[in-house]
Amino acid sequence: MTHEIAVIPGDGIGQEVTPAAVEVLETLEIDFEFREGDAGDAVQEETGEALPDETYELAASADATLFGAAGETAADVILPLREAVDSFVNVRPAKAYPGIDAVRPETNLVFLRENTEGVYSGHEDRLTDDVATLTRVVTESASRQLAEFACEYVEDNDYDGFTTVHKANVMRETDGLFRDTVADVADENGVETDEVLMDAFATHVCLEPDNFDVVVCPNLAGDVLSDLAAGLVGGLGLLPSANVGPDRGLFEPVHGTAPDIAGEGVANPAAAIISAAMLVEYLGYDEDGAAIREAVETTLEEGPRTPDLGGDASTDDVTEAIVDRL
Amino acid sequence: MTHEIAVIPGDGIGQEVTPAAVEVLETLEIDFEFREGDAGDAVQEETGEALPDETYELAASADATLFGAAGETAADVILPLREAVDSFVNVRPAKAYPGIDAVRPETNLVFLRENTEGVYSGHEDRLTDDVATLTRVVTESASRQLAEFACEYVEDNDYDGFTTVHKANVMRETDGLFRDTVADVADENGVETDEVLMDAFATHVCLEPDNFDVVVCPNLAGDVLSDLAAGLVGGLGLLPSANVGPDRGLFEPVHGTAPDIAGEGVANPAAAIISAAMLVEYLGYDEDGAAIREAVETTLEEGPRTPDLGGDASTDDVTEAIVDRL
Ligand SMILES: CC(C)[C@H](C(=O)O)[C@@H](O)C(=O)O
Ligand SMILES: CC(C)[C@H](C(=O)O)[C@@H](O)C(=O)O
């Protein structure tokens, strides 16, 4: 069976780390067909569109998409692409690796972020000169779909349960619906949960990151709190993510385009390559995913390392070392 | 001139730390008249109302209010009280103190949080069984008032400028209006600013807290990011806050009711007492405010200390030590 993979490197170091991830995928005994698409600032400059229709269609029809990074146009690219793959959950592991400097080395969390609504559903109005509004949408159905995924995730990965993070003391109807629906689904599935307010979570995760493992939350909370966890593990540089839909998914490093080092061939490909591991796991090849993760972790620990981790290796050196360890 | 001060201890350790703050205020050569009001879980249980009308009126007419903490009813108490004092900005310093364990000891930030709108303006609807909505409101006028305060704050306290934090790449109209208005006001006042996206801020403040000093942001961003900073300085235990309005203000420790230690007389009064320092500064007594801060800081460094800081002193011991050092 051939898996069609859309490859959208985007801007900046996306152009360097995405090919590295493809190179790793090519060493596996899996039949992939890669199709490249354009997106981001450069295409916008050329064509006036940050996300050309062909690229949207490519992601919407491929079995999975590897995305790199986009610059100023990030929101115009990534939000429609999440929609293109019909993604309802953004899976964001934030894990500190041995040997890598981290503010909180005990951090090992996975965020399951609602990926379609909240303030992202984007109904805004400028009502008067003075007043602008945004309609934040929460549905029972999206909350239920996320919670069902969370329950499966907890079972598949042998977790004890999950923590729901929300701000239902202020957003009583919307986050109340989210919280109650998630709790109901967990109950139905016999999964244990607890809940923490979003602000309290921000304090506690700094103080005791090992108190949390799977965190289920609305869209913006997931955006901000996973970036907070990224700070605790030492930066966005090593974080992968998966935008999961029922039939397809989009996999992307959490880091951006890193304009300061783009073009120099020294970008750290680890996050893109772990995202590729999430991609093959999504397609059902758990052993291959585990093998990639192991090769990346060994390389992080033993080197070679790119300059962001204090080494002087190139993207290619690191990619080769990972391929060799597979 | 007599200053009328509403004192609302609330629940849990609010009942212990608020009298400590009053005791400190009583040692100053300022003419205060204290009037006590009830609020919180206990009153709710007794009367069915978490915030009795008299208490609301007390805060709405006093020159300033000292508030302690509220339990489950926190939102029902603190949100109307902020309105009672017509507060448009919540000033939240997050500072690590020498000798106190902190995840990031270099942290020394002040959040200026918009205090009236955003998702807190609270228009929610359950449109259908499936759909709930919340209307997030951002106005130019509230953004302008906050920004004008920020410019004065920066000047009065000799900062170089401030950082605006927002999520205008997603909330384009609402946070766009916020960002642009704040930038315009800063320009008009010759104050330097930069801006960071809310998610990026969460990462960066963990990695390089000393890159930030004054942070201006919308309501929910201020809630979450100031609690994040609280995590970096070692917890909510030492953080004061000021809800500032044009004619009155409400001053409260950021910590909650601490049910685990409530009633034992060992709550740390530092945050409530620094909040009292913010109160006297608000009333124009800068020297007294500075004296209180100094006495608290010396006591934090040299002791006595309450159990949360590894000591075995009581609330009274610490309060007395602070009073003695005044
Ligand atoms: C670029 C932006 C729209 C996006 C988001 O807010 O979701 C990014 O921050 C992310 O988390 O992938
Ligand atoms: C109790 C709650 C409504 C409140 C808020 O969200 O503002 C609290 O978290 C705070 O920050 O003072």
Side-chain angles (χ1 to χ4, degrees):
Chain A
M1 183 184 176
T2 303
H3 302 286
E4 199 182 302
I5 309 296
V7 178
I8 309 174
D11 299 313
I13 62 166
Q15 292 285 343
E16 301 162 46
V17 299
T18 316
V22 171
E23 202 181 318
V24 169
L25 290 179
E26 279 174 333
T27 65
L28 305 177
E29 312 257 295
I30 305 175
D31 204 4
F32 290 119
E33 194 178 308
F34 297 102
R35 307 213 171 168
E36 193 148 331
D38 287 332
D41 295 1
V43 200
Q44 155 115 332
E45 199 138 302
E46 250 173 66
T47 68
E49 277 186 316
L51 185 67
D53 286 349
E54 309 91 82
T55 307
Y56 183 96
E57 289 307 330
L58 194 67
S61 63
D63 296 313
T65 297
L66 261 187
F67 176 68
E72 290 299 312
T73 55
D76 298 316
V77 172
I78 193 62
L79 301 182
L81 281 178
R82 286 177 186 157
E83 213 184 276
V85 302
D86 212 6
S87 168
F88 59 90
V89 54
N90 193 326
V91 182
R92 300 199 155 195
K95 174 177 164 180
Y97 290 99
I100 307 297
D101 236 12
V103 175
R104 289 310 236 167
E106 325 84 308
T107 310
N108 190 358
L109 304 175
V110 182
F111 291 87
L112 304 179
R113 167 186 177 188
E114 201 287 319
N115 216 15
T116 65
E117 52 188 33
V119 299
Y120 284 74
S121 44
H123 305 288
E124 290 194 293
D125 286 295
R126 182 72 177 251
L127 299 183
T128 68
D129 261 6
D130 192 41
V131 182
T133 58
L134 179 149
T135 304
R136 179 176 193 263
V137 178
V138 173
T139 64
E140 191 187 320
S141 43
S143 307
R144 175 164 282 276
Q145 194 175 19
L146 173 68
E148 282 165 354
F149 180 89
C151 290
E152 266 184 56
Y153 190 90
V154 158
E155 264 190 29
D156 290 352
N157 296 281
D158 285 328
Y159 286 105
D160 292 334
F162 62 79
T163 303
T164 310
V165 173
H166 59 77
K167 186 80 188 173
N169 62 336
V170 169
M171 302 190 272
R172 294 179 182 199
E173 285 286 342
T174 50
D175 268 17
L177 177 59
F178 178 82
R179 179 199 54 200
D180 294 346
T181 306
V182 171
D184 285 350
V185 172
D187 253 10
E188 288 160 26
N189 287 275
V191 170
E192 283 198 25
T193 63
D194 53 7
E195 44 172 285
V196 186
L197 291 169
M198 187 180 172
D199 48 335
F201 180 85
T203 305
H204 290 153
V205 76
C206 293
L207 297 175
E208 301 180 297
D210 39 5
N211 274 0
F212 302 102
D213 32 44
V214 180
V215 176
V216 174
C217 54
N219 209 337
L220 183 68
D223 178 49
V224 176
L225 299 175
S226 66
D227 268 26
L228 157 51
L232 298 180
V233 305
L236 299 167
L238 300 176
L239 299 199
S241 75
N243 297 278
V244 172
D247 301 316
R248 40 188 55 82
L250 180 146
F251 303 83
E252 46 159 345
V254 177
H255 63 66
T257 56
D260 49 323
I261 57 159
E264 295 178 17
V266 296
N268 188 343
I273 294 173
I274 311 173
S275 301
M278 295 181 91
L279 182 153
V280 300
E281 285 160 359
Y282 176 77
L283 295 175
Y285 303 99
D286 284 353
E287 281 177 26
D288 295 275
I292 297 176
R293 286 170 191 280
E294 215 188 296
V296 172
E297 293 191 21
T298 310
T299 305
L300 286 174
E301 225 179 323
E302 299 177 8
R305 290 175 167 195
T306 42
D308 56 305
L309 300 179
D312 58 7
S314 68
T315 308
D316 286 347
D317 297 337
V318 173
T319 308
E320 229 149 275
I322 291 169
V323 167
D324 285 347
R325 284 176 172 128
L326 270 173
Chain B
M1 184 184 176
T2 303
H3 303 284
E4 199 182 301
I5 309 294
V7 178
I8 308 174
D11 300 312
I13 63 167
Q15 292 285 344
E16 301 162 47
V17 299
T18 317
V22 170
E23 203 180 319
V24 170
L25 290 179
E26 278 173 333
T27 65
L28 304 177
E29 312 257 295
I30 305 175
D31 204 4
F32 290 120
E33 193 178 309
F34 296 102
R35 308 214 169 167
E36 195 151 327
D38 287 332
D41 295 1
V43 200
Q44 154 114 331
E45 199 139 301
E46 249 174 67
T47 69
E49 277 186 316
L51 185 67
D53 286 349
E54 310 91 84
T55 308
Y56 183 94
E57 290 306 331
L58 194 67
S61 62
D63 296 314
T65 297
L66 261 186
F67 177 68
E72 290 298 314
T73 55
D76 298 315
V77 172
I78 193 62
L79 300 182
L81 281 179
R82 286 177 186 157
E83 212 183 276
V85 302
D86 212 7
S87 168
F88 59 89
V89 54
N90 193 327
V91 182
R92 302 200 153 193
K95 172 176 164 179
Y97 290 98
I100 307 297
D101 238 11
V103 176
R104 289 309 237 167
E106 325 83 306
T107 310
N108 189 358
L109 304 175
V110 182
F111 290 87
L112 304 179
R113 166 186 178 187
E114 201 288 319
N115 216 14
T116 65
E117 52 187 36
V119 298
Y120 284 73
S121 44
H123 306 287
E124 290 194 293
D125 286 295
R126 182 71 176 252
L127 298 183
T128 68
D129 261 7
D130 192 40
V131 182
T133 57
L134 179 149
T135 305
R136 180 177 194 263
V137 178
V138 172
T139 64
E140 191 187 321
S141 43
S143 307
R144 175 165 282 276
Q145 194 175 18
L146 174 68
E148 282 165 354
F149 180 90
C151 290
E152 267 185 56
Y153 190 90
V154 159
E155 262 189 32
D156 289 353
N157 296 282
D158 285 329
Y159 286 106
D160 291 334
F162 63 79
T163 302
T164 310
V165 173
H166 59 77
K167 186 80 187 174
N169 61 336
V170 169
M171 302 191 272
R172 295 178 183 200
E173 285 286 342
T174 49
D175 269 17
L177 177 59
F178 178 81
R179 178 199 54 199
D180 293 347
T181 306
V182 171
D184 285 351
V185 172
D187 253 10
E188 287 160 26
N189 287 276
V191 170
E192 284 198 22
T193 64
D194 54 7
E195 45 172 284
V196 186
L197 290 169
M198 187 179 173
D199 49 333
F201 180 84
T203 305
H204 289 153
V205 76
C206 293
L207 297 175
E208 300 180 299
D210 39 4
N211 274 0
F212 302 103
D213 32 44
V214 180
V215 176
V216 173
C217 53
N219 209 338
L220 183 68
D223 178 49
V224 177
L225 299 175
S226 66
D227 268 26
L228 157 51
L232 298 180
V233 305
L236 299 168
L238 301 175
L239 300 201
S241 75
N243 297 277
V244 172
D247 301 316
R248 39 188 55 82
L250 181 146
F251 303 83
E252 44 160 345
V254 177
H255 64 65
T257 56
D260 50 322
I261 58 158
E264 295 178 16
V266 296
N268 188 343
I273 294 173
I274 312 174
S275 302
M278 295 181 90
L279 182 153
V280 300
E281 285 161 359
Y282 176 77
L283 295 175
Y285 303 98
D286 284 353
E287 280 175 28
D288 295 275
I292 298 176
R293 286 169 190 280
E294 214 189 296
V296 173
E297 293 190 20
T298 310
T299 305
L300 286 173
E301 224 180 323
E302 298 177 8
R305 290 175 168 195
T306 43
D308 57 305
L309 300 180
D312 58 6
S314 68
T315 308
D316 285 347
D317 296 337
V318 173
T319 308
E320 230 150 274
I322 291 169
V323 167
D324 285 347
R325 283 178 172 127
L326 269 172

